[in-house]
Amino acid sequence: MSDTHQQSIGYVRDSMLPETAPPLGEAGAIKWARANLFSSVANGILTLVALFTIYLLISAVLPWILNGIWEAPSIRACREILDGATGGCFAVLTERWNQLLFGFKYPSDIYWRPTLAFVLLFVAIAPVLFRKVFPAQMLVFTALYPFVAYYLIWGGSILIPIFALLGFVVGYLVYSRFVAQSFAAGFFGGIVAALLFWYVTGFLPVEGILALEEVPSRDMGGFMLNLILGTVCVSLSIPFGIALALGRQSDMPIIKWICVVFIEFIRGVPLITLLFVANVVLAYFLPPGTNFDLILRVIIMITMFASAYIAEVIRGGLAALPNGQYEAGDSLGLDYAQKMRLIILPQALKISIPGIVNVAVGLFKDTTLVSVISMFDLVGMIRGPILASTEWNGVYWELLSFAALLFFVVCYGISQYSQWLERELQTDHR
């Protein structure tokens, strides 16, 4: 018996052999290239064609960039310096950078004001975007930032943004007073109180009190105008889109049909049509002599347009939640506002992040459409005053590439943040 047992165990090793390196074709760059680029004959042919295409693009673009002229008074001077060689006339960027960024009418001696407002924007959005990193006390500055930015960019008396801020404070106090009795009463009561406060303070004299040099909206342009429209409209369209999505699912027929008609009408009309309405048609519905700021009119129309699309994105997130989530809120004894704020909306917004970001990126790029209503944003400056000048008539690729680069940086940053946020909010382990 013991002999049989000993023969069944032919050999038992009591020490490990040293590890050997894997075959060269199964590790490192060779393995990656074989698995991703040359996994089959068809993939290998496509890889070679793609590499050849990239080579052609780089060989054509790289000399244009490296041989570029950065100092010249006109396109003719650039061509004389190049003397037939391949190269870009980037001198237009060094000569007209201020017009590309701020427009051709914004006073050059106060460029520091919109620049400071742009820097403070990152301070304001930091606690919102990265709430785990920055202290919650910074949200106070986030709430104050819109009024600070208005004061810096537009100028005028400091009492104008202060009265605007106090109107929101009065509206919130009225809302908090009546919301316990009825959410609708508190919400509409707050709106009425804020409007009444602004109407009364509109008759008060505010001229000359800690006033900065006032800049009319018509004097604003360049990429600064695109940033103003994009930032304001995206910030406003998200809460309005949430309200429209909830209103479309409301049990109250009037509220529901108002939201349905608004969403379907706005989504069925091109944005450029709404911009023409803001620029021309809207003035016919205002009393004679009324001066309704053009940028404000454009902000209203773009916000309405984006809100309708975001409402449908959020409605999709709400529809994706199982009925058990709504029933859970009812079983806990929560009212409608508490159930939406604590249970439903956090989950629906998490699901809707890709769609919301898609609308935000598209909206920021669509701000260039304001150039068709004679507003000199970045594209409007390129198509208008710069290319119309005799010095730079004919410089296209350099200017449009610069515009594309600015928009790419902003849109790519938004996209990367959304992907990071999705990873941060990922709770399931797959």
Side-chain angles (χ1 to χ4, degrees):
M1 186 70 178
S2 61
D3 294 340
T4 304
H5 178 67
Q6 290 178 358
Q7 291 176 1
S8 65
I9 304 177
Y11 179 76
V12 179
R13 178 176 297 280
D14 57 1
S15 62
M16 292 293 295
L17 289 175
E19 295 181 356
T20 58
L24 187 62
E26 299 298 329
I30 296 179
K31 177 184 178 182
W32 181 88
R34 179 174 296 176
N36 296 278
L37 303 179
F38 300 96
S39 58
S40 64
V41 176
N43 287 347
I45 294 175
L46 291 175
T47 298
L48 294 177
V49 171
L51 290 175
F52 182 69
T53 304
I54 293 173
Y55 166 75
L56 293 178
L57 291 174
I58 292 177
S59 61
V61 174
L62 201 58
W64 182 71
I65 296 176
L66 296 179
N67 297 332
I69 306 300
W70 291 91
E71 292 185 5
S74 65
I75 185 175
R76 289 181 293 276
C78 282
R79 291 170 178 171
E80 291 176 0
I81 296 173
L82 289 172
D83 194 20
T86 300
C89 187
F90 299 109
V92 64
L93 302 181
T94 57
E95 288 286 325
R96 300 296 182 95
W97 66 269
N98 55 339
Q99 296 181 5
L100 291 171
L101 296 181
F102 301 101
F104 67 97
K105 288 186 178 181
Y106 202 89
S108 58
D109 57 334
I110 57 173
Y111 282 163
W112 64 271
R113 283 165 41 182
T115 304
L116 178 60
F118 177 72
V119 173
L120 293 178
L121 173 63
F122 293 95
V123 180
I125 65 175
V128 178
L129 301 183
F130 307 99
R131 56 187 178 87
K132 295 182 180 179
V133 179
F134 296 92
Q137 290 78 5
M138 289 183 63
L139 291 173
V140 176
F141 179 74
T142 303
L144 297 176
Y145 174 76
F147 310 98
V148 175
Y150 175 87
Y151 180 59
L152 288 174
I153 296 175
W154 272 268
S157 172
I158 196 174
L159 291 183
I160 296 176
I162 289 178
F163 286 155
L165 173 62
L166 292 178
F168 283 101
V169 172
V170 170
Y172 176 76
L173 293 177
V174 174
Y175 164 80
S176 60
R177 171 66 178 82
F178 293 100
V179 70
Q181 303 174 8
S182 171
F183 174 78
F187 180 76
F188 291 107
I191 293 178
V192 172
L195 293 176
L196 287 176
F197 180 84
W198 291 328
Y199 178 78
V200 172
T201 55
F203 295 99
L204 298 178
V206 296
E207 299 296 332
I209 301 177
L210 294 178
L212 296 176
E213 180 182 349
E214 191 170 357
V215 182
S217 296
R218 279 291 184 184
D219 292 350
M220 298 181 186
F223 194 60
M224 174 184 67
L225 182 58
N226 296 108
L227 286 176
I228 291 173
L229 296 176
T231 304
V232 175
C233 294
V234 169
S235 302
L236 293 177
S237 61
I238 292 178
F240 281 119
I242 294 174
L244 288 171
L246 296 178
R248 185 161 189 167
Q249 292 191 333
S250 175
D251 295 330
M252 294 182 287
I254 296 179
I255 299 297
K256 178 179 180 178
W257 283 107
I258 288 176
C259 294
V260 169
V261 171
F262 177 86
I263 292 172
E264 297 302 329
F265 174 77
I266 295 297
R267 292 176 69 230
V269 177
L271 177 58
I272 193 170
T273 303
L274 297 177
L275 294 178
F276 277 118
V277 170
N279 186 40
V280 181
V281 181
L282 195 61
Y284 292 106
F285 296 95
L286 298 175
T290 302
N291 185 17
F292 196 11
D293 190 88
L294 178 60
I295 288 185
L296 182 57
R297 283 182 274 166
V298 171
I299 287 174
I300 292 174
M301 290 300 176
I302 297 180
T303 301
M304 290 169 54
F305 182 81
S307 299
Y309 281 87
I310 290 181
E312 288 298 283
V313 172
I314 296 175
R315 187 171 69 90
L318 293 171
L321 296 180
N323 290 331
Q325 299 297 316
Y326 296 87
E327 295 169 355
D330 295 333
S331 66
L332 293 174
L334 303 179
D335 59 22
Y336 177 81
Q338 293 172 330
K339 181 172 62 176
M340 288 296 168
R341 181 172 59 89
L342 299 175
I343 298 178
I344 304 302
L345 280 180
Q347 300 180 74
L349 292 177
K350 174 185 171 182
I351 298 173
S352 306
I353 287 176
I356 293 175
V357 171
N358 185 47
V359 174
V361 170
L363 173 65
F364 182 71
K365 293 184 293 184
D366 285 343
T367 58
T368 56
L369 291 176
V370 299
S371 61
V372 302
I373 58 172
S374 302
M375 294 184 70
F376 293 103
D377 69 315
L378 179 59
V379 176
M381 288 299 306
I382 293 174
R383 294 173 53 195
I386 296 180
L387 288 180
S389 63
T390 57
E391 293 86 0
W392 303 110
N393 187 9
V395 181
Y396 295 98
W397 286 103
E398 294 84 348
L399 292 169
L400 295 177
S401 299
F402 178 70
L405 178 62
L406 290 180
F407 278 97
F408 172 78
V409 169
V410 176
C411 295
Y412 183 74
I414 296 174
S415 175
Q416 289 300 304
Y417 170 76
S418 70
Q419 296 180 31
W420 174 84
L421 184 61
E422 287 184 64
R423 292 192 297 269
E424 286 290 309
L425 297 178
Q426 193 70 34
T427 54
D428 55 340
H429 303 281
R430 298 180 179 176

